[in-house]
Amino acid sequence: MKQKMSLFDGASLFIAFLTILFLTASIGTIIVGGLPFLSEALRSKEVLFSIRLSLATSTLSTLLCFVVGIPCAYALARCRMPLRGLCRLVLELPLSLPYLVLGLCLLMMFSSGAGKMLRDFGIRVIFEPAGIVMAQWLVNIPFVIRLMRTALEELDGRLEFIAGTLGASRWQRFCTITLPLCRNSMLMAAILTWSRAVGEFGATLMLVGVTRMKTETLPASIYLNISTGDNGMAMASAIILLVLSGTALLLSTLLRRRTASRMEGALRP
């Protein structure tokens, strides 16, 4: 028997449809305005440079996030860490900070005496492409740590315990049991982290500025074109960014559904 729609249900649907309409109109404005300039943008050396730089820096920063983030998440979830609550707070604090503040932190750090020493050794970050990777890494590392920590805490530790009783070391258990069980969570986290890195701008702007054909990522290209009054090229660059982010979101959704269907199948008798 069908239930009659309540006033609360109707109000919720109305608000949801209004929100969808607003978002569709906002994104549609960019798409309609930028499509006539998209072909020109895809032939532009500057836009192609920004695409390549965005893809390269986002991929590298995502890899670095997981190289650092997985051990940090494992330490928080499985190790007897002193002052765990404080450590968790420090590691996840950047999630609540504005990206401009994170960029300012990096700028001050690499402008200090230690930063100048690193520059003398050839590690140049400020106003350099390497700084884009650093900014993306700082913005996304707490996101990766939280996602991976949650995935590790939700795992059933009995399999690792049994492997330990059979003589497997911590490292062997981590490589043969923990990581394979977290595979789908890692893939989803990687896709979302990469998408966030592609669109990162605030911390990057503070650390490396915006220099054409040097530190010009896709968000920086949009900023430069808007600041010079070239709205058409700005909207065309925005369409490219929308396609990249939308593709990442679609892959993440498909992977999540696949994971959910596998878990459903495993629970069936």
Side-chain angles (χ1 to χ4, degrees):
M1 184 177 179
K2 293 184 178 179
Q3 292 183 350
K4 187 178 179 180
M5 181 181 292
S6 68
L7 179 62
F8 178 74
D9 291 344
S12 299
L13 287 171
F14 178 72
I15 293 172
F17 282 126
L18 277 182
T19 305
I20 292 169
L21 181 63
F22 176 78
L23 292 175
T24 303
S26 301
I27 296 173
T29 302
I30 296 295
I31 294 174
V32 172
L35 275 177
F37 302 90
L38 185 59
S39 177
E40 180 185 352
L42 292 174
R43 294 195 303 268
S44 169
K45 290 183 179 179
E46 188 175 330
V47 174
L48 291 176
F49 174 85
S50 68
I51 293 173
R52 288 194 296 268
L53 185 61
S54 291
L55 295 178
T57 54
S58 300
T59 302
L60 181 56
S61 66
T62 300
L63 289 173
L64 290 175
C65 279
F66 277 85
V67 168
V68 176
I70 291 177
C72 289
Y74 185 86
L76 289 174
R78 298 296 173 87
C79 299
R80 293 182 178 178
M81 176 183 288
L83 301 175
R84 177 182 294 182
L86 179 61
C87 293
R88 177 177 168 181
L89 176 64
V90 172
L91 288 171
E92 297 183 358
L93 178 62
L95 280 173
S96 61
L97 293 177
Y99 292 168
L100 282 174
V101 173
L102 295 177
L104 179 62
C105 293
L106 288 174
L107 181 62
M108 293 297 100
M109 185 175 69
F110 284 102
S111 298
S112 64
K116 291 176 182 177
M117 288 179 60
L118 291 174
R119 186 180 59 191
D120 293 338
F121 281 104
I123 303 175
R124 301 179 181 273
V125 173
I126 300 177
F127 303 125
E128 296 290 340
I132 301 173
V133 177
M134 180 60 67
Q136 292 172 348
W137 180 85
L138 183 59
V139 165
N140 283 326
I141 185 62
F143 180 71
V144 171
I145 291 173
R146 172 168 285 189
L147 289 178
M148 293 310 303
R149 177 180 60 80
T150 302
L152 288 169
E153 288 176 347
E154 290 177 351
L155 284 181
D156 188 350
R158 287 178 295 181
L159 291 176
E160 295 174 70
F161 176 76
I162 293 171
T165 60
L166 296 175
S169 65
R170 284 274 191 178
W171 174 248
Q172 289 173 327
R173 282 178 272 170
F174 178 75
C175 293
T176 59
I177 297 175
T178 307
L179 281 184
L181 290 175
C182 290
R183 180 181 56 191
N184 288 337
S185 297
M186 288 176 60
L187 286 174
M188 283 191 288
I191 292 170
L192 293 175
T193 302
W194 183 86
S195 178
R196 284 164 54 96
V198 169
E200 203 291 311
F201 181 59
T204 302
L205 175 65
M206 185 63 69
L207 184 61
V208 304
V210 181
T211 305
R212 291 188 186 273
M213 302 294 288
K214 184 179 181 183
T215 60
E216 186 180 2
T217 57
L218 272 172
S221 177
I222 296 171
Y223 175 82
L224 284 173
N225 285 316
I226 285 291
S227 63
T228 56
D230 195 348
N231 293 349
M233 290 297 286
M235 288 188 287
S237 298
I239 290 176
I240 298 170
L241 195 56
L242 280 171
V243 170
L244 291 174
S245 300
T247 303
L249 180 61
L250 178 62
L251 289 173
S252 176
T253 302
L254 292 175
L255 186 59
R256 185 167 58 247
R257 288 180 179 176
R258 182 182 173 186
T259 304
S261 63
R262 279 187 176 181
M263 290 179 64
E264 220 175 275
L267 292 173
R268 287 176 186 169

